[in-house]
Amino acid sequence: MLGRKERDQLELFITGSLRQLVPDDHILARVDRVLDLSWLRDEVADLYCTDNGRPGIDPEVAVRLMVAGFLLGIIHDRRLLREAQVNLAIRWFVGYGLHEVLPDHSSLTRIRQRWGAERFRNIFKRTVKACIAARIATGEIVHIDASLIRANVSWDALAGHHVADVEAANPSEFEWEDRQSGKYKKICTTDPDATMATNGRNRRLEPSYKQHTAVDDVKGVVVDVEVTTGEENEGMAVEAQLDAIAMTTGVAIKMATMDAGYAYAKVFRALEDRQIDAIVPAKAERRPGKVIPTRRFRLDAKHNLVRCPTGKILRPKGKLQRGSFQHFHASREDCRACPLRPRCVSPSRHARVVVFNINHPSLLRARRKRLRWGNHEHHFYRRHRWRVEGLHGEAKTWHGLARAIRRGRDNMRIQAFLTAAAVNLKRLAAALFAILLVFAPHVNDRIRFQRIAST
Ligand code: SF4
């Protein structure tokens, strides 16, 4: 018989908790079992007046709202609060009843401004520690990679500035050798923290931020995340990131995998200093050209000199450039009489000059190690691809990381920390759910009964 459902019936009353109406396997129900924010009130207490003013929103409610948004992919505050009006699961997750008025969306903006990015970093770090305690992460093998995030800037907001002016205004941003070349440089007038960058030679430059992510090998838990401007080189953030991971996890890293974008002498030196086994492929070498390349010159680090292909000595000259680059000069007499001179010395110069990084011996050791890679190294490098690159894909597809929600690096950092925290909570909830299913096959019934009993 064709059924009919009467609509617009008035509810006289609803008994029990909203929890009974949320399925046990709903993502918010799962995450609620592992989310502990009891420490949060003390963490932010110093930001509020103790005896004056209107009571603010409970910090736990604010964080639960934001986490729910990132878990469900509703990343904009207005949309999130509109959805929360009608979404039973979100109302229950943040602790609001059906008839209670939810906070205004602008309250979340003020909370972010008041707390600052570091408090959100602490929330993220708590999720890492919870994953370590639950043994779904060890912090011993980490996969590190970076991904560009499109800034929240329109194309109309880009303006051309003379490079010299931009460098003068941001001297610390231009210490790395791979800076953007050209006389003019595009800057974002509405979000000056974002810079033009691209992740492919044939793709156009876009105003971007760069997220540097470290993922644990066991279950793909994010153990560290940091955000820089889009044009920052990957290698610049590695050293600080390695130390931050060890601080957060309390465990010394044994192995780190990275892609060829990190194959710099400075990075290898940082890994060697920390006794970390590096799984990093070497950069592809350029095709041989007319000029004899620098790699044909041999650095003798012990005696601080370089030998050219004919065995002549090049000696260091001048101060270190940008803190780590040393120039080595051949003698005019040697080059004048050399048969290789047409292929080695530019017509405008009297003798060959080569530049080496002071950490070049670390790079040479890493290259030699790369030639000896076996199944073990290839296995972990394959895991690198689907662990950390998979994480970036997951965060961009399901949790709104494809584009910055707000402007400014601090806002972008908060977005990155909350996204990483949401992913970690998801991993933690999945692990707990798997354990419950093993030890209690009728887990849904058990949890339901426990909830009803506790309400
Ligand atoms: S031109 Fe000078 S630096 Fe080059 S191979 Fe000859 S002697 Fe060595």
Side-chain angles (χ1 to χ4, degrees), residues 330-342:
S331 88
R332 291 186 181 196
E333 291 71 34
D334 289 341
C335 291
R336 193 180 301 138
C338 180
L340 297 180
R341 181 188 168 98

Side-chain angles (χ1 to χ4, degrees), residues 292 297 308-310 312 314 330-331 334-335 338-341 344-345 352:
I292 296 175
F297 290 69
C308 74
T310 57
K312 298 287 189 293
L314 285 76
S331 88
D334 289 341
C335 291
C338 180
L340 297 180
R341 181 188 168 98
C344 189
V345 186
R352 178 72 187 254

Side-chain angles (χ1 to χ4, degrees), residues 66-104:
M66 293 181 206
V67 168
F70 282 97
L71 282 168
L72 300 173
I74 311 170
I75 52 174
H76 293 100
D77 294 342
R78 282 174 193 266
R79 257 197 71 206
L80 174 64
L81 268 302
R82 262 187 211 171
E83 178 65 22
Q85 287 286 346
V86 295
N87 189 317
L88 284 177
I90 300 179
R91 275 189 175 269
W92 161 76
F93 188 69
V94 299
Y96 275 62
L98 276 181
H99 302 291
E100 285 184 273
V101 179
L102 287 160
D104 189 73

Side-chain angles (χ1 to χ4, degrees), residues 429-447:
L432 176 72
F433 203 69
I435 293 169
L436 286 174
L437 284 175
V438 170
F439 291 102
H442 306 295
V443 60
N444 289 353
D445 294 338
R446 280 179 66 120
I447 292 168

Side-chain angles (χ1 to χ4, degrees), residues 441-455:
H442 306 295
V443 60
N444 289 353
D445 294 338
R446 280 179 66 120
I447 292 168
R448 189 179 295 119
F449 287 133
Q450 283 168 6
R451 292 280 165 172
I452 293 168
S454 63
T455 53

Side-chain angles (χ1 to χ4, degrees), residues 130-148:
C131 292
I132 297 270
R135 300 188 183 184
I136 60 167
T138 61
E140 290 182 349
I141 301 174
V142 294
H143 306 285
I144 296 176
D145 201 2
S147 183
L148 289 177

